[in-house]
């Protein structure tokens, strides 16, 4: 028997689906399919937790479920004791740049940093205080000053660029913590979240000259992978969505610089020079395979990301590949999704279902007649229309589902990946938004 669904989770999921975005809560109530892909990523999470590394690209057409899949993997990572960072790339948030784009991306990632007890983000302060608390416990047992223990535990950071300054800022936070100096603690957190932009500010607030710059993006991620491990977490999972924004960069030099940043991350991860860190990047097929603007336009990445030749010949998927391709939602999985949404809408109470079982295939047939096969390839409007019908039946009980189903409006969802935006090399106009992801796991 299925358990009753909490009102908060129900409302969060329903409102998110109606708005066309992936809900932050309640993913487990609507997930369907993708067992092979999920098992592979769970193995990656276990590898990170045991001190290893992982690097994956999740590639799928617009509406194929990349964002939902990424969100579910994040939830699993948090439950297994990892720390996660996530953000969406955009024209002003990139991996490489000179006008603040990398710093803005890193700042968003650090604002979204999450743990099992703070799954909605803003967990950096908790992570630091957990680290400091364990250092104080050790100090109480050994008599060694807390500051020295912090320095000794983070000594490994000295091997990385910016590591010594990072240690100093953690100590500044501890000094403010001990003295009850809120301003000093907030200044340290601001520095750690890439909030400073001038040496004058950092010297005034923290007594140091260095700060996190655009060039510090990847090095800072390395530092955090060590910090979270020293704080007692299993490792760090970095999740980046909307990678198609790199594909849409019209300046070839800037685009290549961003791809070189990806290559550096990929090499360090696969060569084992890092530990307890993983990367997941989501993008469209064009972002990967376009020979003019995609990752394949950069030969070093093309050779490393070439796919298993047996998969096409045998018609199977290689779940262990660096590149994970997500297929579209199948008709059977969409049926199960509608089933789950009906259950969620009724708070998990079968006696309160607004439509019977036979209404589900009838609704899908209605969608086929309206928009054809795109109803399961990019089913955003299919899901929204189904929720609209449930909403009417809930508010007006005198209506019957079979009386109103033919009047339910279902429009063809926009399908684009951004490739058409590049026909004019001097401008980018469209919005390749993939916030909503089809539910498939």
């Amino acid at each position: 028997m299925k358990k009753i669904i909490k009102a908060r989770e129900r409302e969060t999921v329903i409102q998110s689906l109606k708005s066309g975005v992936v809900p932050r809560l309640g993913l487990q109530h609507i997930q369907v399919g993708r067992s092979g892909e999920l098992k592979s990523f769970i193995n990656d999470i276990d590898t990170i937790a045991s001190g290893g590394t992982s690097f994956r690209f999740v590639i799928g057409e617009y509406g194929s479920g990349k964002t939902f899949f990424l969100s579910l993997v994040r939830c699993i990572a948090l439950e297994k004791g990892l720390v996660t960072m996530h953000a969406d790339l955009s024209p002003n948030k990139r991996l490489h740049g000179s006008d603040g784009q990398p710093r803005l991306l890193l700042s968003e990632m650090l604002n979204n940093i999450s743990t099992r007890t703070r799954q909605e983000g803003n967990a950096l302060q908790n992570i630091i205080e957990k680290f400091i608390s364990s250092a104080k416990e050790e100090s109480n047992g050994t008599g060694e000053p807390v500051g020295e223990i912090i320095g000794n535990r983070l000594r490994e950071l000295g091997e990385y660029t910016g590591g010594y300054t990072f240690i100093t800022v953690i100590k500044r936070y501890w000094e403010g913590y001990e003295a009850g100096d809120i301003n000093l603690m907030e200044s340290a957190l601001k520095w750690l979240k890439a909030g400073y932009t001038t040496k004058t500010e950092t010297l005034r607030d923290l007594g140091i000259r260095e700060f996190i710059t655009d060039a510090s993006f990847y090095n800072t991620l390395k530092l955090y992978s060590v910090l979270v491990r020293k704080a007692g977490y299993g490792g760090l999972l970095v999740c980046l969505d909307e990678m198609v924004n790199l594909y849409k960069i019209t300046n070839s030099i800037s685009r290549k610089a961003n791809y070189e940043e990806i290559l550096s991350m990929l090499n360090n991860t696969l060569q084992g020079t890092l530990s307890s860190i993983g990367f997941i990047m989501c993008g469209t097929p064009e972002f990967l395979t376009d020979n003019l603007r995609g990752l394949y336009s950069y030969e070093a990445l093309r050779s490393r990301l070439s796919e298993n030749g047996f998969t096409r010949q045998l018609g199977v998927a290689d779940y262990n590949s660096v590149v994970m391709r997500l297929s579209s939602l199948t008709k059977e999985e969409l049926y199960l999704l509608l089933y789950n949404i009906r259950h969620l809408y009724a708070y998990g109470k079968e006696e309160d279902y607004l439509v019977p079982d036979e209404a589900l295939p009838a609704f899908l047939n209605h969608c086929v007649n309206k928009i054809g096969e795109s109803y399961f390839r990019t089913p955003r409007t299919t899901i929204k229309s189904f929720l609209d019908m449930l909403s009417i039946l809930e508010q007006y009980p005198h209506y019957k589902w079979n009386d109103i189903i033919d009047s339910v409006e279902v429009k063809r969802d926009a399908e684009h990946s951004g490739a058409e935006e590049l026909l004019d090399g001097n401008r980018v106009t469209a919005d390749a938004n993939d916030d909503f992801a089809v539910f498939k796991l």
Side-chain angles (χ1 to χ4, degrees):
M1 181 178 180
K2 295 184 178 181
K3 63 180 181 180
I4 302 302
I5 297 171
K6 296 179 181 178
R8 181 192 176 198
E9 290 188 353
R10 174 192 182 270
E11 293 304 316
T12 298
V13 174
I14 290 175
Q15 292 304 318
S16 296
L17 300 188
K18 284 187 173 183
S19 302
V21 298
V22 174
R24 286 180 174 266
L25 296 175
L27 298 180
Q28 70 278 11
H29 299 304
I30 53 177
Q31 64 179 19
V32 293
R34 294 221 190 281
S35 59
E37 294 95 330
L38 186 58
K39 181 179 178 180
S40 175
F41 276 76
I42 291 175
N43 289 336
D44 287 352
I45 292 170
D46 292 337
T47 297
I48 296 168
S50 61
T53 58
S54 172
F55 197 107
R56 292 292 196 108
F57 287 99
V58 177
I59 302 297
E61 296 286 355
Y62 174 76
S64 61
K66 299 184 296 295
T67 302
F68 182 83
F69 184 81
L70 186 63
S71 297
L72 190 56
V73 171
R74 281 185 52 249
C75 290
I76 295 172
L78 293 173
E79 289 301 318
K80 285 182 170 283
L82 269 63
V83 173
T84 68
M85 292 180 181
H86 70 277
D88 293 349
L89 273 70
S90 69
N92 66 335
K93 288 180 290 186
R94 301 173 181 170
L95 304 178
H96 186 279
S98 57
D99 295 325
Q101 301 100 326
R103 189 182 60 80
L104 286 174
L105 176 61
L106 182 61
S107 181
E108 180 176 336
M109 293 167 63
L110 290 167
N111 282 324
N112 291 334
I113 195 168
S114 304
T115 64
R116 180 163 46 194
T117 56
R118 291 293 299 269
Q119 297 196 13
E120 297 183 8
N122 292 314
L124 181 57
Q125 186 170 1
N126 299 67
I127 294 169
I128 296 170
E129 292 186 1
K130 181 180 179 181
F131 172 74
I132 291 175
S133 296
S134 64
K136 290 179 69 174
E137 289 179 9
E138 182 178 339
S139 175
N140 293 335
T142 63
E144 187 179 357
V146 176
E148 291 186 14
I149 294 175
I150 291 175
N152 290 334
R153 287 190 174 188
L154 296 179
R155 186 176 299 163
E156 180 182 340
L157 294 176
E159 302 174 7
Y160 302 102
T161 302
Y164 290 112
T165 305
F166 195 90
I167 295 172
T168 301
V169 176
I170 297 294
K171 287 183 177 180
R172 291 287 187 274
Y173 185 91
W174 167 71
E175 291 166 5
Y177 184 84
E178 284 294 288
D181 187 342
I182 302 298
N183 290 331
L184 183 56
M185 294 169 62
E186 289 180 348
S187 295
L189 281 174
K190 179 180 177 180
W191 190 97
L192 291 166
K193 290 183 177 181
Y196 283 101
T197 57
T198 66
K199 293 181 180 180
T200 303
E201 291 179 302
T202 56
L203 187 61
R204 179 194 65 208
D205 294 346
L206 295 167
I208 58 177
R209 295 182 180 276
E210 295 80 10
F211 58 93
I212 297 174
T213 66
D214 286 340
S216 308
F217 178 82
Y218 180 37
N219 288 324
T220 303
L221 295 181
K222 297 177 186 178
L223 299 177
Y224 272 102
S225 71
V226 176
L227 175 64
V228 300
R229 187 160 31 92
K230 298 297 183 180
Y233 297 95
L236 177 65
L237 181 64
V238 179
C239 303
L240 296 172
D241 203 354
E242 301 293 350
M243 297 297 291
V244 71
N245 280 285
L246 301 185
Y247 170 75
K248 294 193 291 186
I249 297 174
T250 55
N251 184 288
S252 60
I253 297 176
S254 177
R255 189 172 60 249
K256 181 180 178 181
N258 277 270
Y259 289 168
E260 286 175 347
E261 199 76 11
I262 293 177
L263 178 63
S264 179
M265 296 179 187
L266 179 64
N267 285 342
N268 286 174
T269 304
L270 299 184
Q271 290 171 356
T273 57
L274 302 176
S275 62
S276 300
I277 188 170
F279 295 89
I280 305 177
M281 299 182 179
C282 295
T284 59
E286 291 81 7
F287 160 70
L288 174 69
T289 60
D290 189 284
N291 291 322
L292 295 178
R293 296 177 179 268
L295 293 179
Y296 276 16
S297 67
Y298 194 63
E299 185 57 39
L301 283 171
R302 182 187 183 98
S303 62
R304 287 164 175 78
L305 301 179
S306 58
E307 300 176 62
N308 190 330
F310 288 101
T311 56
R312 288 189 179 183
Q313 297 179 28
L314 301 178
V316 296
D318 181 5
Y319 297 124
N320 296 323
S321 173
V322 174
V323 176
M324 173 75 75
R325 287 185 176 269
L326 296 185
S327 57
S328 299
L329 195 67
T330 67
K331 300 173 183 179
E332 294 77 14
E333 287 167 340
L334 185 53
Y335 174 87
L336 291 176
L337 176 56
L338 295 186
Y339 183 94
N340 290 341
I341 291 175
R342 178 186 65 168
H343 188 76
L344 173 78
Y345 206 95
Y347 295 90
K349 302 176 182 178
E350 294 185 9
E351 63 273 17
D352 291 337
Y353 286 172
L354 294 174
V355 294
D357 289 347
E358 57 266 27
L360 305 184
F363 183 82
L364 293 178
N365 287 332
H366 170 71
C367 293
V368 172
N369 294 331
K370 287 288 185 179
I371 59 175
E373 286 195 343
S374 63
Y375 85 95
F376 73 90
R377 297 189 188 282
T378 55
R380 180 190 319 213
T381 54
T382 300
I383 302 306
K384 184 181 183 304
S385 298
F386 184 67
L387 285 169
D388 288 343
M389 185 178 74
L390 294 181
S391 179
I392 292 298
L393 293 174
E394 180 184 38
Q395 296 176 72
Y396 303 97
H398 61 280
Y399 282 121
K400 302 299 180 183
W401 70 269
N402 47 358
D403 294 330
I404 68 171
I405 191 169
D406 289 335
S407 61
V408 175
E409 186 177 10
V410 185
K411 295 181 179 179
R412 185 183 301 275
D413 202 359
E415 295 184 56
H416 65 338
S417 63
E420 67 278 9
E421 305 162 23
L422 301 170
L423 295 177
D424 181 350
N426 296 319
R427 63 189 179 92
V428 176
T429 58
D431 176 21
N433 180 15
D434 190 29
D435 282 340
F436 178 78
V438 177
F439 314 105
K440 295 188 51 178
L441 271 154

